[in-house]
Amino acid sequence: MFSLKEKSIIITGAAMGLGYATAEIFAEQGAYLTLVDYNEEKLKEAEKTLSEKYSDAKFLSVVADVSDEKQVKNYIDKTVEKFSRIDGLYNNAGIEGETSLLAEYNVESFKKVIDINLMGVYYAMRHAIPIMKKQNYGRIVNVASVAGIRGVKNETPYTASKHAVAGMTKNAALEYGQDGIMTNAIAPGAILTPMVEEAFKKINPDDPKSAEKEYAKANPTLRLGDPKDVAYLVGFLLSEECSYVNGQTIAVDGGQSNIYGAV
Ligand code: NAD
């Protein structure tokens, strides 16, 4: 079994959804966590709840917008100041963006999705990798999506950003494997988080629950994913035991992306 005890790990987008669920599993193991989010109120709430519940874990929360390189450098520096090293980086923060046909997509909204989902991941790797190189050790997990391995209608910037994250993950693996740094990506399918609940509201504003049921029917497991399904995979990929998996984009989707014609 893998352990994250006393590992210094940065989680972006930690205030809710997949980031928060992962922080909870890691805190249970006694990890030292830097929680990053731009939602200050939710971030404070998350840190308070977790620190009251898990006394073996340590926490640092830093308010930052991951699309701003200066703010990214700040959370990296603060992590090193507090925990002396960075063992793991979980690049999870991301947005879905608006839904619209490719040719009709608002250009500013398009750029915003790219800035957060792609540049946010790049800035974090850019500033964390030199520290990991000095340690001759590091683990990076970037959050792509099933939209990083397939097309998703009406979500061009999201799909483009997630494919780019998968590509960047391969490059980091090639360039820094020799420095003891393993870089991988995950491709979640529909996992029940606030982001996905919002998507179901867009599909069927009057009855989002029925949209959720329809979606679940199409999955081989006949259910949507639970944030914990993702957290356990990320935990392994960020552990010391993950020492020969490098440059992969691993789907966590109940097998749905294997169905011909699946979304
Ligand atoms: P969510 O909206 O529930 O939570 C995202 C968190 O990230 C929020 O706390 C939000 O405040 C934070 N965040 C967003 N933009 C930020 C920014 N610029 N700077 C700092 N923090 C920011 O979303 P989620 O469902 O938990 O998704 C997390 C990641 O997983 C995203 O990258 C998303 O694309 C990816 N993903 C999710 C699913 C899913 O089914 N939930 C599927 C595939 C991929």
Side-chain angles (χ1 to χ4, degrees):
M1 259 314 274
F2 64 87
S3 163
L4 298 173
K5 193 171 167 53
E6 294 176 7
K7 292 288 184 208
S8 161
I9 296 170
I10 297 170
I11 302 177
T12 68
M16 54 188 189
L18 296 184
Y20 180 80
T22 307
E24 177 143 34
I25 301 279
F26 293 3
E28 234 171 50
Q29 292 210 8
Y32 299 166
L33 299 176
T34 302
L35 309 174
V36 176
D37 208 287
Y38 65 3
N39 185 333
E40 185 167 5
E41 200 188 318
K42 286 257 179 229
L43 183 65
K44 292 278 169 263
E45 235 176 78
E47 187 191 2
K48 186 168 178 291
T49 312
L50 292 172
S51 53
E52 282 170 4
K53 218 166 150 188
Y54 303 102
S55 54
D56 284 350
K58 290 184 186 168
F59 301 95
L60 165 71
S61 61
V62 187
V63 178
D65 180 336
V66 300
S67 64
D68 179 329
E69 188 175 1
K70 272 197 195 130
Q71 296 183 41
V72 171
K73 187 169 182 321
N74 180 52
Y75 76 65
I76 298 275
D77 290 347
K78 288 222 161 102
T79 301
V80 176
E81 239 169 69
K82 180 155 174 122
F83 298 129
S84 308
R85 50 187 288 120
I86 301 173
D87 296 304
L89 169 66
Y90 181 31
N91 269 317
N92 162 77
I95 60 166
E96 193 173 21
E98 294 159 13
T99 48
S100 172
L101 289 171
L102 182 148
E104 289 157 25
Y105 215 96
N106 176 288
V107 171
E108 284 315 306
S109 311
F110 193 112
K111 286 182 180 166
K112 187 177 171 196
V113 176
I114 299 293
D115 277 346
I116 295 176
N117 292 4
L118 173 59
M119 297 313 292
V121 173
Y122 173 62
Y123 295 143
M125 292 208 289
R126 178 180 174 82
H127 291 285
I129 284 173
I131 293 156
M132 292 177 168
K133 266 185 87 164
K134 274 193 211 144
Q135 299 169 172
N136 201 29
Y137 178 87
R139 301 286 181 264
I140 300 172
V141 174
N142 297 325
V143 179
S145 166
V146 169
I149 47 182
R150 310 175 68 95
V152 177
K153 273 186 186 171
N154 297 313
E155 296 198 3
T156 300
Y158 186 75
T159 308
S161 69
K162 296 301 189 179
H163 274 73
V165 164
M168 201 159 60
T169 298
K170 289 179 189 161
N171 260 54
L174 298 183
E175 293 172 15
Y176 301 107
Q178 63 189 343
D179 299 301
I181 303 172
M182 299 290 117
T183 309
N184 291 289
I186 58 163
I191 316 289
L192 255 192
T193 64
M195 180 192 270
V196 165
E197 281 165 18
E198 282 307 309
F200 288 133
K201 277 186 206 156
K202 279 186 211 159
I203 295 168
N204 188 343
D206 298 327
D207 189 5
K209 275 279 159 205
S210 80
E212 187 186 317
K213 276 192 193 145
E214 272 309 301
Y215 206 91
K217 264 203 277 184
N219 191 286
T221 63
L222 300 179
R223 68 170 177 91
L224 295 185
D226 183 293
K228 282 187 178 170
D229 294 325
V230 176
Y232 291 128
L233 172 64
V234 177
F236 168 71
L237 294 173
L238 288 176
S239 72
E240 242 175 274
E241 286 75 5
C242 174
S243 49
Y244 209 55
V245 182
N246 196 19
Q248 303 304 307
T249 296
I250 302 170
V252 199
D253 67 345
Q256 189 162 355
S257 54
N258 293 308
I259 302 169
Y260 178 70
V263 192

